[in-house]
Amino acid sequence: MAGTDKTETPIQGGPAIILVRPQLGQNIGMVARAMLNCGLTELRLVAPRDGWPNPDAEASAAGATDVLEQAKVFPTTADAVADLQRVYATTARTRDMTNIVETPKQAAGGMKTAVASGQMVGVQFGPERAGLKNDDIALADTVIEVPLNPAFSSLNLAQAVLLIGYEWFQASDTSPARELITAGNRVATKGELVNFFARLEKALEESGFLHPPEKTPIMVRNIRNMFQRADLTEQEVNTLHGIVSALWEKRR
C-alpha cells in the first residue's frame, strides 16, 4: 500500500529487531521497510545465509536504506543479545518449554515500560523456513505469539516484523481514533442545523411527505438523526439549503 505525504518523527529508543539466520536479502530489505514504517531503526543480523551487505536487500527496502546501512552483524544469537536487558522471541508454534507467552499488544506495553526505564530491548525473529530454534528462545525472557487463524497462521518475515512494530508504534501513538477532515470548513453549529431542519420539514410538510400526521414526530426525528450523524460542515448545510430552495421554487 502506498504511503502518504505525512511525515512524522520516528520513535527513538525502540526495540532492536534481531533477524536470526535470515536467508534472503529481499526479505531483509522488506523488514527494513516495515521497521521504518513503525519508527524502528536498529537492525541486528545473526549469521545471514547469503552474507552482508546484500544488494538484494537495498532493492526491496523501498528507501529504508538507513536501516540497512546501520545494521550490525553477529555470529551467534547469544552475541546479538549480549548487551540487551530484555529479549522477546517470536514463534508460531507451541514449544516443549516453560515460557511466558504474550500477544504483540501485551508485549508492546512491556517493551514501552522497559525502554522508559532505560533498559535495552530486542525482539528475535527466526529464519524464513523453520523459525527460531529452542536454543534461541532460551535466551529470551518472553515469547510472543500472534493470535491468527489456527488453521493457517503462516507469516512471512516482513509481516511478522510489521505486526510487532505496529503494536510498538501504537503504544505511543496519540492519533485520534476518529477524525473529521473538513478541508478548511468548520463544522456546522447546532443552531445552523436546527434552522436547516425547520426549512426542510416545512418543505416536506407542504409536499405531503410527512403523512399520516400521527407519524410526523417519528419521521421528523429519524430525518434529523440522519443528518446529525453526517457531521455536516457549514458549507454543506448551505448547500442543503440551496437544494431545498431549488426544489421549493420548482414545485411552486
Side-chain angles (χ1 to χ4, degrees), residues 37-248:
N37 285 155
C38 303
L40 299 174
T41 57
E42 186 175 356
L43 176 61
R44 301 186 180 192
L45 307 174
V46 177
R49 186 190 68 181
D50 296 336
W52 193 259
N54 188 320
D56 292 337
E58 185 172 349
S60 59
T65 52
D66 286 350
V67 175
L68 299 178
E69 290 171 356
Q70 297 171 26
K72 299 176 182 178
V73 181
F74 299 85
T76 68
T77 306
D79 291 322
V81 303
D83 63 332
L84 304 179
Q85 291 144 315
R86 185 157 186 81
V87 176
Y88 293 79
T90 59
T91 181
R93 64 183 187 277
T94 304
R95 310 289 181 125
D96 294 328
M97 302 171 64
T98 300
N99 292 113
I100 297 173
V101 180
E102 295 181 349
T103 64
K105 185 181 293 292
Q106 180 70 26
M111 292 179 204
K112 299 302 295 188
T113 300
V115 169
S117 68
Q119 296 183 46
M120 294 182 66
V121 178
V123 186
Q124 298 180 48
F125 297 84
E128 296 89 324
R129 185 177 297 276
L132 293 169
K133 294 180 178 179
N134 286 347
D135 287 343
D136 301 315
I137 296 174
L139 294 168
D141 306 283
T142 305
V143 168
I144 300 176
E145 287 189 2
V146 181
L148 295 171
N149 176 11
F152 190 79
S153 58
S154 174
L155 294 172
N156 67 39
L157 190 55
Q159 286 175 323
V161 171
L162 183 60
L163 278 171
I164 306 304
Y166 175 80
E167 292 297 350
W168 158 262
F169 192 86
Q170 288 299 298
S172 295
D173 185 46
T174 58
S175 299
R178 182 175 183 270
E179 183 179 7
L180 176 65
I181 306 299
T182 60
N185 298 310
R186 66 170 176 81
V187 176
T189 66
K190 295 304 179 184
E192 290 167 340
L193 287 173
V194 169
N195 181 44
F196 164 67
F197 293 154
R199 291 193 68 228
L200 175 64
E201 290 153 16
K202 180 176 176 59
L204 293 175
E205 183 178 5
E206 290 187 4
S207 70
F209 180 82
L210 299 178
H211 184 79
E214 60 270 19
K215 291 188 177 181
T216 294
I218 295 176
M219 297 173 69
V220 166
R221 190 180 306 122
N222 289 340
I223 291 170
R224 290 191 175 200
N225 282 339
M226 285 191 291
F227 284 109
Q228 292 283 10
R229 292 196 305 271
D231 284 333
L232 296 172
T233 65
E234 177 194 22
Q235 180 180 341
E236 290 169 336
V237 171
N238 289 337
T239 299
L240 290 171
H241 273 297
I243 292 172
V244 171
S245 296
L247 293 175
W248 219 337

Side-chain angles (χ1 to χ4, degrees), residues 5-26:
D5 293 333
K6 185 178 180 180
T7 302
E8 299 287 350
T9 301
I11 296 176
Q12 300 298 322
I17 299 301
I18 305 164
L19 304 186
V20 180
R21 298 177 296 279
Q23 297 170 346
L24 298 175
Q26 295 96 322

